[in-house]
Coordinates of all heavy atoms in Angstrom, one line a residue:
M17 N -30.0 75.8 18.2 CA -30.7 74.8 17.3 C -29.9 73.6 17.3 O -28.6 73.6 17.2 CB -30.8 75.4 15.9 CG -31.4 74.5 14.9 SD -31.6 75.3 13.3 CE -32.7 74.3 12.6
S18 N -30.5 72.4 17.4 CA -29.8 71.2 17.4 C -30.1 70.5 16.0 O -31.1 70.7 15.3 CB -30.3 70.3 18.5 OG -31.6 69.9 18.3
F19 N -29.1 69.7 15.6 CA -29.1 69.0 14.3 C -29.0 67.5 14.6 O -28.3 67.0 15.4 CB -28.0 69.4 13.4 CG -28.0 70.9 13.1 CD1 -27.4 71.8 13.8 CD2 -28.7 71.3 12.0 CE1 -27.4 73.2 13.5 CE2 -28.8 72.7 11.6 CZ -28.1 73.6 12.4
T20 N -29.7 66.7 13.8 CA -29.6 65.3 13.8 C -28.3 64.9 13.1 O -27.8 65.6 12.3 CB -30.8 64.5 13.2 OG1 -30.8 64.8 11.8 CG2 -32.1 65.0 13.8
A21 N -27.9 63.6 13.3 CA -26.7 63.1 12.5 C -27.0 63.2 11.0 O -26.1 63.5 10.2 CB -26.4 61.7 13.0
D22 N -28.2 62.8 10.6 CA -28.5 62.9 9.2 C -28.5 64.3 8.6 O -28.0 64.5 7.5 CB -29.9 62.3 8.9 CG -30.0 60.8 9.1 OD1 -28.9 60.1 9.0 OD2 -31.1 60.2 9.3
Q23 N -28.9 65.3 9.4 CA -28.9 66.7 9.0 C -27.4 67.1 8.9 O -27.0 67.9 7.9 CB -29.6 67.6 9.9 CG -31.1 67.4 9.8 CD -31.9 68.1 10.9 OE1 -31.4 68.2 12.1 NE2 -33.0 68.7 10.6
I24 N -26.6 66.7 9.8 CA -25.2 67.1 9.8 C -24.5 66.4 8.6 O -23.8 67.1 7.9 CB -24.5 66.6 11.1 CG1 -25.0 67.5 12.3 CG2 -23.0 66.8 11.0 CD1 -24.6 67.0 13.6
R25 N -24.8 65.2 8.4 CA -24.2 64.5 7.2 C -24.6 65.2 5.9 O -23.8 65.4 5.0 CB -24.6 63.0 7.2 CG -24.1 62.2 6.0 CD -24.6 60.7 6.1 NE -24.2 60.1 7.4 CZ -23.1 59.5 7.6 NH1 -22.1 59.4 6.7 NH2 -22.9 59.0 8.8
Q26 N -25.9 65.5 5.8 CA -26.3 66.2 4.6 C -25.7 67.5 4.4 O -25.3 67.9 3.3 CB -27.9 66.3 4.5 CG -28.4 66.8 3.2 CD -28.0 65.9 2.1 OE1 -28.3 64.7 2.1 NE2 -27.4 66.4 1.0
S27 N -25.6 68.3 5.5 CA -25.0 69.6 5.4 C -23.5 69.5 5.0 O -23.0 70.2 4.2 CB -25.1 70.3 6.8 OG -26.4 70.7 7.1
L28 N -22.8 68.5 5.6 CA -21.4 68.3 5.2 C -21.3 67.9 3.8 O -20.4 68.5 3.0 CB -20.8 67.2 6.1 CG -19.4 66.8 5.8 CD1 -18.4 67.9 5.9 CD2 -18.9 65.6 6.7
M29 N -22.1 67.0 3.3 CA -22.1 66.6 1.9 C -22.4 67.8 1.0 O -21.7 68.0 -0.1 CB -23.0 65.4 1.6 CG -22.5 64.2 2.2 SD -23.4 62.6 1.8 CE -25.1 63.1 2.1
D30 N -23.4 68.6 1.4 CA -23.7 69.8 0.6 C -22.5 70.8 0.5 O -22.2 71.4 -0.5 CB -24.9 70.5 1.2 CG -26.2 69.7 1.0 OD1 -26.2 68.8 0.2 OD2 -27.2 70.1 1.7
C31 N -21.8 71.0 1.7 CA -20.7 71.9 1.7 C -19.6 71.3 0.8 O -18.9 72.1 0.1 CB -20.2 72.0 3.1 SG -21.3 73.0 4.2
I32 N -19.3 70.0 0.8 CA -18.3 69.4 0.0 C -18.7 69.6 -1.5 O -17.8 69.9 -2.3 CB -18.1 67.9 0.3 CG1 -17.5 67.8 1.7 CG2 -17.3 67.2 -0.7 CD1 -17.5 66.4 2.3
L33 N -19.9 69.4 -1.8 CA -20.4 69.5 -3.2 C -20.2 71.0 -3.7 O -20.0 71.2 -4.9 CB -21.8 69.0 -3.4 CG -21.9 67.5 -3.3 CD1 -23.4 67.1 -3.3 CD2 -21.2 66.8 -4.5
E34 N -20.3 71.9 -2.8 CA -20.1 73.3 -3.2 C -18.7 73.6 -3.6 O -18.4 74.4 -4.5 CB -20.5 74.3 -2.1 CG -22.0 74.4 -1.8 CD -22.3 75.2 -0.6 OE1 -21.4 76.0 -0.1 OE2 -23.4 75.1 0.0
V35 N -17.8 72.8 -3.0 CA -16.3 73.0 -3.3 C -15.8 72.0 -4.3 O -15.0 72.3 -5.2 CB -15.5 72.8 -2.0 CG1 -14.0 72.8 -2.2 CG2 -15.9 73.8 -1.0
A36 N -16.4 70.8 -4.3 CA -16.0 69.7 -5.2 C -17.2 69.1 -5.8 O -17.7 68.0 -5.4 CB -15.2 68.7 -4.5
P37 N -17.8 69.8 -6.8 CA -19.1 69.3 -7.4 C -19.0 67.9 -8.0 O -20.0 67.3 -8.3 CB -19.5 70.4 -8.4 CG -18.2 71.2 -8.6 CD -17.4 71.0 -7.4
E38 N -17.8 67.5 -8.3 CA -17.6 66.2 -9.0 C -17.7 65.0 -7.9 O -17.7 63.9 -8.3 CB -16.3 66.1 -9.7 CG -15.1 66.1 -8.9 CD -14.6 67.5 -8.3 OE1 -15.3 68.5 -8.6 OE2 -13.7 67.5 -7.5
A39 N -17.7 65.3 -6.7 CA -17.7 64.3 -5.6 C -19.0 63.4 -5.8 O -20.1 63.9 -6.0 CB -17.7 64.9 -4.2
D40 N -18.8 62.1 -5.8 CA -19.8 61.2 -6.0 C -20.1 60.4 -4.7 O -19.3 59.5 -4.4 CB -19.5 60.2 -7.1 CG -20.6 59.2 -7.4 OD1 -21.7 59.3 -6.8 OD2 -20.4 58.3 -8.2
F41 N -21.0 60.8 -3.9 CA -21.2 60.2 -2.6 C -21.9 58.8 -2.7 O -21.9 58.1 -1.7 CB -22.1 61.2 -1.7 CG -21.3 62.3 -1.2 CD1 -21.3 63.5 -1.8 CD2 -20.4 62.1 -0.1 CE1 -20.5 64.6 -1.3 CE2 -19.6 63.1 0.4 CZ -19.7 64.4 -0.2
A42 N -22.3 58.4 -3.9 CA -22.8 57.1 -4.0 C -21.6 56.1 -3.9 O -21.8 54.9 -3.6 CB -23.5 56.9 -5.4
T43 N -20.4 56.5 -4.2 CA -19.2 55.7 -4.1 C -18.3 55.9 -2.9 O -17.4 55.2 -2.7 CB -18.4 55.8 -5.4 OG1 -17.9 57.2 -5.5 CG2 -19.2 55.5 -6.7
V44 N -18.6 56.9 -2.1 CA -17.8 57.2 -1.0 C -18.1 56.3 0.2 O -19.3 56.1 0.5 CB -18.1 58.7 -0.5 CG1 -17.5 58.9 0.9 CG2 -17.5 59.7 -1.5
R45 N -17.1 55.6 0.7 CA -17.3 54.8 1.9 C -17.1 55.7 3.1 O -16.2 56.4 3.3 CB -16.2 53.7 1.9 CG -16.4 52.7 0.7 CD -15.6 51.5 0.9 NE -15.7 50.9 2.2 CZ -14.9 50.0 2.7 NH1 -14.0 49.5 1.9 NH2 -15.1 49.5 3.9
P46 N -18.1 55.6 4.0 CA -18.2 56.5 5.1 C -17.1 56.2 6.2 O -16.8 57.1 7.0 CB -19.6 56.3 5.7 CG -20.0 55.0 5.2 CD -19.3 54.7 3.9
D47 N -16.4 55.1 6.1 CA -15.4 54.7 7.0 C -14.0 54.8 6.5 O -13.0 54.4 7.1 CB -15.7 53.3 7.6 CG -15.7 52.3 6.5 OD1 -15.9 52.6 5.3 OD2 -15.6 51.1 6.9
C48 N -13.8 55.3 5.3 CA -12.5 55.5 4.7 C -12.1 56.9 4.5 O -13.0 57.8 4.5 CB -12.5 54.8 3.3 SG -12.7 53.0 3.3
P49 N -10.8 57.2 4.4 CA -10.4 58.6 4.3 C -11.1 59.4 3.2 O -11.1 59.0 2.1 CB -8.9 58.5 4.0 CG -8.5 57.2 4.7 CD -9.7 56.3 4.4
L50 N -11.8 60.4 3.7 CA -12.7 61.2 2.8 C -12.0 62.0 1.7 O -12.3 61.9 0.6 CB -13.6 62.1 3.6 CG -14.6 62.9 2.9 CD1 -15.6 62.0 2.1 CD2 -15.4 63.8 3.8
R51 N -11.0 62.7 2.2 CA -10.2 63.6 1.2 C -9.6 62.8 0.1 O -9.6 63.2 -1.0 CB -9.2 64.4 2.0 CG -9.8 65.5 2.8 CD -8.9 66.3 3.6 NE -7.8 66.8 2.8 CZ -6.7 67.4 3.3 NH1 -6.6 67.6 4.6 NH2 -5.8 67.9 2.6
E52 N -9.1 61.6 0.4 CA -8.5 60.7 -0.6 C -9.6 60.3 -1.6 O -9.3 60.2 -2.8 CB -7.8 59.5 0.0 CG -6.6 59.9 0.8 CD -6.0 58.7 1.5 OE1 -6.3 57.6 1.2 OE2 -5.1 59.0 2.4
Q53 N -10.7 59.9 -1.1 CA -11.8 59.4 -2.0 C -12.3 60.4 -3.0 O -12.7 60.0 -4.1 CB -13.0 58.9 -1.1 CG -12.6 57.6 -0.3 CD -13.8 57.2 0.4 OE1 -14.7 56.5 -0.2 NE2 -13.9 57.6 1.7
I54 N -12.4 61.7 -2.6 CA -12.9 62.7 -3.5 C -11.9 63.6 -4.0 O -12.2 64.6 -4.6 CB -14.1 63.4 -2.8 CG1 -13.7 64.1 -1.6 CG2 -15.3 62.5 -2.6 CD1 -14.8 65.0 -0.9
D55 N -10.6 63.3 -3.7 CA -9.4 64.1 -4.2 C -9.6 65.5 -3.8 O -9.5 66.4 -4.7 CB -9.3 63.9 -5.7 CG -8.0 64.4 -6.3 OD1 -7.0 64.2 -5.5 OD2 -7.9 64.8 -7.4
M56 N -9.7 65.8 -2.5 CA -9.9 67.1 -2.0 C -8.5 67.6 -1.4 O -8.0 66.9 -0.5 CB -11.0 67.2 -1.0 CG -11.3 68.5 -0.5 SD -12.8 68.6 0.6 CE -12.9 67.2 1.5
D57 N -8.0 68.7 -1.9 CA -6.7 69.1 -1.3 C -7.0 70.0 0.0 O -8.1 70.2 0.4 CB -5.9 69.9 -2.3 CG -6.6 71.2 -2.8 OD1 -7.4 71.8 -2.0 OD2 -6.3 71.7 -3.9
S58 N -5.9 70.4 0.6 CA -6.0 71.1 1.9 C -6.8 72.4 1.8 O -7.6 72.8 2.7 CB -4.7 71.3 2.5 OG -3.8 72.0 1.7
F59 N -6.6 73.1 0.7 CA -7.3 74.4 0.5 C -8.8 74.1 0.3 O -9.7 74.8 0.9 CB -6.8 75.1 -0.8 CG -7.5 76.4 -1.0 CD1 -7.2 77.5 -0.2 CD2 -8.5 76.5 -2.0 CE1 -7.9 78.8 -0.4 CE2 -9.2 77.7 -2.2 CZ -8.9 78.8 -1.4
D60 N -9.2 73.1 -0.4 CA -10.6 72.7 -0.5 C -11.2 72.3 0.8 O -12.3 72.7 1.2 CB -10.8 71.5 -1.5 CG -10.5 71.9 -3.0 OD1 -10.6 73.1 -3.3 OD2 -10.2 71.0 -3.7
F61 N -10.4 71.6 1.6 CA -10.9 71.2 3.0 C -11.1 72.4 3.8 O -12.2 72.5 4.5 CB -9.8 70.3 3.6 CG -10.2 69.8 5.0 CD1 -11.2 68.9 5.2 CD2 -9.5 70.3 6.1 CE1 -11.5 68.5 6.5 CE2 -9.8 69.9 7.4 CZ -10.8 69.0 7.6
L62 N -10.3 73.4 3.8 CA -10.5 74.6 4.6 C -11.7 75.3 4.1 O -12.5 75.9 4.9 CB -9.2 75.5 4.5 CG -8.0 75.0 5.2 CD1 -6.8 75.9 4.9 CD2 -8.2 74.8 6.6
T63 N -11.9 75.3 2.8 CA -13.1 76.0 2.2 C -14.4 75.3 2.7 O -15.4 75.9 3.1 CB -13.0 76.0 0.7 OG1 -11.8 76.7 0.3 CG2 -14.2 76.8 0.1
V64 N -14.4 73.9 2.7 CA -15.5 73.2 3.3 C -15.8 73.6 4.7 O -16.9 73.8 5.1 CB -15.2 71.7 3.1 CG1 -16.3 70.9 3.9 CG2 -15.3 71.2 1.7
L65 N -14.7 73.7 5.5 CA -14.9 74.1 6.9 C -15.5 75.5 7.0 O -16.3 75.7 7.9 CB -13.5 74.1 7.6 CG -12.9 72.7 7.8 CD1 -11.6 72.8 8.6 CD2 -13.8 71.7 8.5
E66 N -15.1 76.4 6.1 CA -15.8 77.7 6.1 C -17.2 77.6 5.8 O -18.1 78.3 6.5 CB -15.1 78.6 5.1 CG -13.7 79.0 5.5 CD -12.9 79.8 4.4 OE1 -13.6 80.1 3.4 OE2 -11.8 80.1 4.6
H67 N -17.6 76.8 4.9 CA -19.0 76.6 4.5 C -19.8 76.0 5.7 O -20.9 76.3 5.9 CB -19.1 75.7 3.3 CG -18.7 76.4 2.0 ND1 -19.6 77.3 1.3 CD2 -17.6 76.4 1.3 CE1 -19.0 77.8 0.2 NE2 -17.8 77.2 0.2
L68 N -19.1 75.0 6.3 CA -19.8 74.4 7.5 C -20.0 75.4 8.6 O -21.1 75.4 9.2 CB -18.9 73.3 8.1 CG -19.0 71.9 7.4 CD1 -18.0 71.0 8.0 CD2 -20.4 71.3 7.7
H69 N -19.1 76.3 8.8 CA -19.3 77.3 9.8 C -20.4 78.2 9.5 O -21.3 78.5 10.3 CB -18.0 78.2 10.0 CG -18.2 79.3 10.9 ND1 -18.2 79.1 12.3 CD2 -18.4 80.6 10.7 CE1 -18.4 80.3 12.9 NE2 -18.5 81.2 12.0
A70 N -20.5 78.6 8.2 CA -21.6 79.4 7.8 C -23.0 78.7 7.9 O -24.0 79.3 8.2 CB -21.4 79.9 6.3
R71 N -23.0 77.4 7.6 CA -24.2 76.7 7.6 C -24.7 76.2 8.9 O -25.9 76.3 9.3 CB -24.1 75.5 6.6 CG -25.3 74.7 6.4 CD -25.0 73.5 5.4 NE -24.7 74.1 4.1 CZ -25.4 73.9 3.0 NH1 -26.5 73.2 3.1 NH2 -25.1 74.4 1.9
L72 N -23.7 75.7 9.7 CA -24.1 75.1 11.0 C -23.6 75.9 12.2 O -23.9 75.6 13.4 CB -23.5 73.7 11.1 CG -24.0 72.7 10.1 CD1 -23.3 71.4 10.3 CD2 -25.5 72.5 10.1
G73 N -22.7 76.9 12.0 CA -22.1 77.6 13.1 C -21.0 76.9 13.9 O -20.8 77.2 15.0
V74 N -20.5 75.9 13.3 CA -19.5 75.1 14.0 C -18.0 75.5 13.6 O -17.8 75.8 12.4 CB -19.7 73.6 13.7 CG1 -19.4 73.2 12.3 CG2 -18.8 72.7 14.6
D75 N -17.2 75.6 14.6 CA -15.8 75.9 14.3 C -15.0 74.7 14.5 O -15.2 73.9 15.5 CB -15.3 77.0 15.3 CG -15.8 78.4 15.0 OD1 -15.8 78.8 13.8 OD2 -16.3 79.1 15.9
V76 N -14.0 74.4 13.7 CA -13.1 73.3 13.8 C -11.7 73.8 13.9 O -11.1 74.3 12.9 CB -13.2 72.4 12.6 CG1 -12.3 71.2 12.7 CG2 -14.7 71.9 12.4
P77 N -11.1 73.7 15.1 CA -9.7 74.2 15.2 C -8.8 73.3 14.5 O -9.0 72.1 14.3 CB -9.5 74.1 16.8 CG -10.5 73.2 17.3 CD -11.7 73.2 16.3
E78 N -7.7 73.8 14.0 CA -6.7 73.1 13.2 C -6.2 71.8 13.9 O -6.0 70.8 13.3 CB -5.5 74.0 12.9 CG -4.5 73.3 12.0 CD -3.4 74.3 11.6 OE1 -3.4 75.5 11.9 OE2 -2.5 73.8 10.9
A79 N -6.1 71.9 15.3 CA -5.7 70.7 16.0 C -6.6 69.5 15.9 O -6.2 68.4 16.1 CB -5.5 71.1 17.5
D80 N -7.9 69.8 15.5 CA -8.9 68.7 15.3 C -9.1 68.2 13.9 O -10.0 67.4 13.7 CB -10.2 69.2 15.9 CG -10.2 69.3 17.4 OD1 -9.2 68.8 18.0 OD2 -11.1 69.9 18.0
Y81 N -8.4 68.8 12.9 CA -8.6 68.4 11.5 C -8.5 66.9 11.3 O -9.3 66.3 10.6 CB -7.6 69.1 10.6 CG -7.8 70.5 10.4 CD1 -6.9 71.3 9.7 CD2 -8.9 71.2 11.0 CE1 -7.0 72.6 9.5 CE2 -9.0 72.6 10.8 CZ -8.1 73.3 10.1 OH -8.2 74.6 9.9
A82 N -7.6 66.2 12.0 CA -7.5 64.8 11.9 C -8.7 64.0 12.3 O -8.9 62.9 11.9 CB -6.2 64.3 12.6
R83 N -9.5 64.6 13.2 CA -10.7 64.0 13.7 C -11.8 63.9 12.7 O -12.8 63.3 12.9 CB -11.1 64.7 15.0 CG -10.1 64.5 16.1 CD -10.5 65.1 17.4 NE -11.7 64.5 17.9 CZ -12.4 65.0 19.0 NH1 -12.0 66.1 19.5 NH2 -13.4 64.4 19.4
M84 N -11.6 64.6 11.5 CA -12.5 64.6 10.5 C -12.0 63.9 9.2 O -12.2 64.3 8.1 CB -12.9 66.1 10.1 CG -13.5 66.8 11.3 SD -14.1 68.5 10.8 CE -15.2 68.1 9.5
S85 N -11.4 62.8 9.5 CA -10.7 62.1 8.4 C -11.7 61.3 7.5 O -11.5 61.1 6.3 CB -9.6 61.1 8.9 OG -10.2 60.2 9.8
T86 N -12.8 60.8 8.1 CA -13.8 60.0 7.3 C -15.1 60.8 7.4 O -15.3 61.7 8.2 CB -13.9 58.6 7.8 OG1 -14.6 58.7 9.1 CG2 -12.6 57.9 7.9
L87 N -16.1 60.4 6.6 CA -17.4 61.0 6.6 C -18.0 60.7 8.0 O -18.6 61.6 8.6 CB -18.2 60.4 5.5 CG -19.6 61.1 5.3 CD1 -19.5 62.6 5.1 CD2 -20.4 60.4 4.1
D88 N -18.0 59.4 8.4 CA -18.6 59.1 9.7 C -17.9 59.8 10.9 O -18.6 60.4 11.7 CB -18.5 57.6 10.0 CG -19.5 56.8 9.2 OD1 -20.4 57.4 8.6 OD2 -19.3 55.5 9.1
A89 N -16.6 59.9 10.8 CA -15.8 60.6 11.9 C -16.2 62.1 11.9 O -16.3 62.7 13.0 CB -14.3 60.4 11.7
S90 N -16.4 62.6 10.7 CA -16.7 64.1 10.6 C -18.1 64.3 11.2 O -18.2 65.3 12.0 CB -16.7 64.5 9.2 OG -15.4 64.4 8.6
V91 N -19.0 63.5 10.9 CA -20.4 63.7 11.4 C -20.4 63.6 13.0 O -20.9 64.4 13.7 CB -21.4 62.7 10.8 CG1 -22.7 62.7 11.5 CG2 -21.5 62.9 9.3
T92 N -19.7 62.6 13.5 CA -19.6 62.4 14.9 C -18.9 63.6 15.6 O -19.3 64.1 16.6 CB -18.8 61.1 15.3 OG1 -19.5 60.0 14.7 CG2 -18.6 60.9 16.8
Y93 N -17.8 64.1 15.0 CA -17.0 65.2 15.5 C -17.9 66.5 15.5 O -18.0 67.2 16.5 CB -15.8 65.4 14.7 CG -15.0 66.7 15.2 CD1 -14.3 66.7 16.3 CD2 -15.2 67.9 14.4 CE1 -13.7 67.8 16.8 CE2 -14.6 69.0 14.9 CZ -13.8 69.0 16.0 OH -13.2 70.2 16.5
I94 N -18.5 66.8 14.4 CA -19.4 68.0 14.3 C -20.5 67.9 15.3 O -20.8 68.9 15.9 CB -19.9 68.1 12.9 CG1 -18.7 68.4 11.9 CG2 -20.9 69.3 12.8 CD1 -19.1 68.3 10.4
A95 N -21.1 66.7 15.4 CA -22.2 66.6 16.4 C -21.7 66.9 17.8 O -22.4 67.6 18.6 CB -22.8 65.2 16.3
G96 N -20.5 66.4 18.1 CA -20.0 66.7 19.4 C -19.7 68.2 19.6 O -19.9 68.8 20.7
R97 N -19.2 68.8 18.6 CA -18.9 70.3 18.7 C -20.2 71.1 18.9 O -20.2 72.0 19.6 CB -18.2 70.8 17.4 CG -16.8 70.3 17.2 CD -15.8 70.8 18.2 NE -15.6 72.2 17.9 CZ -14.7 73.0 18.7 NH1 -14.0 72.4 19.6 NH2 -14.6 74.3 18.4
L98 N -21.2 70.7 18.1 CA -22.5 71.4 18.2 C -23.1 71.2 19.6 O -23.8 72.0 20.1 CB -23.4 70.9 17.1 CG -23.0 71.4 15.7 CD1 -23.9 70.7 14.7 CD2 -23.1 72.9 15.6
A99 N -22.9 70.0 20.2 CA -23.4 69.7 21.5 C -22.6 70.4 22.7 O -23.0 70.3 23.8 CB -23.5 68.2 21.8
G100 N -21.4 70.9 22.3 CA -20.6 71.6 23.2 C -19.6 70.8 23.9 O -19.0 71.2 24.9
S101 N -19.3 69.6 23.4 CA -18.3 68.7 24.0 C -17.0 68.8 23.2 O -16.9 69.4 22.2 CB -18.8 67.3 24.1 OG -19.1 66.8 22.8

């Protein structure tokens, strides 16, 4: 199954909201460090990755965590992983 960038973005935001329900995506800048904007610690980040795996079937190796620093970068990275690159 393939996902559009909008579907990936929405899935990512839904996964974040499951872990950090106080996150306000109306104020999140997609090109700025995401974890800082919503005050998400490393444990929360790992939990979000688990939710993403359950929802989209995507695995993110630890070596690639830095590639998911912003909302836009995360969507691009996940799309690439889902496409097999």
Side-chain angles (χ1 to χ4, degrees):
M17 178 177 199
S18 65
F19 297 92
T20 67
D22 287 339
Q23 290 170 321
I24 293 169
R25 181 179 304 274
Q26 187 61 56
S27 292
L28 176 58
M29 291 188 307
D30 290 346
C31 290
I32 291 169
L33 287 171
E34 289 175 16
V35 175
E38 70 282 357
D40 181 6
F41 284 98
T43 63
V44 168
R45 292 196 45 195
D47 58 341
C48 291
L50 182 59
R51 288 177 52 185
E52 292 174 15
Q53 292 184 81
I54 58 175
D55 196 30
M56 185 170 38
D57 64 24
S58 57
F59 182 76
D60 290 340
F61 178 71
L62 292 175
T63 305
V64 168
L65 294 181
E66 290 173 5
H67 287 280
L68 274 173
H69 176 75
R71 188 178 291 246
L72 300 178
V74 67
D75 288 313
V76 180
E78 186 175 352
D80 290 349
Y81 290 175
R83 295 180 65 189
M84 295 186 61
S85 60
T86 69
L87 185 60
D88 284 348
S90 296
V91 171
T92 299
Y93 174 78
I94 294 167
R97 292 290 293 180
L98 291 171
S101 59

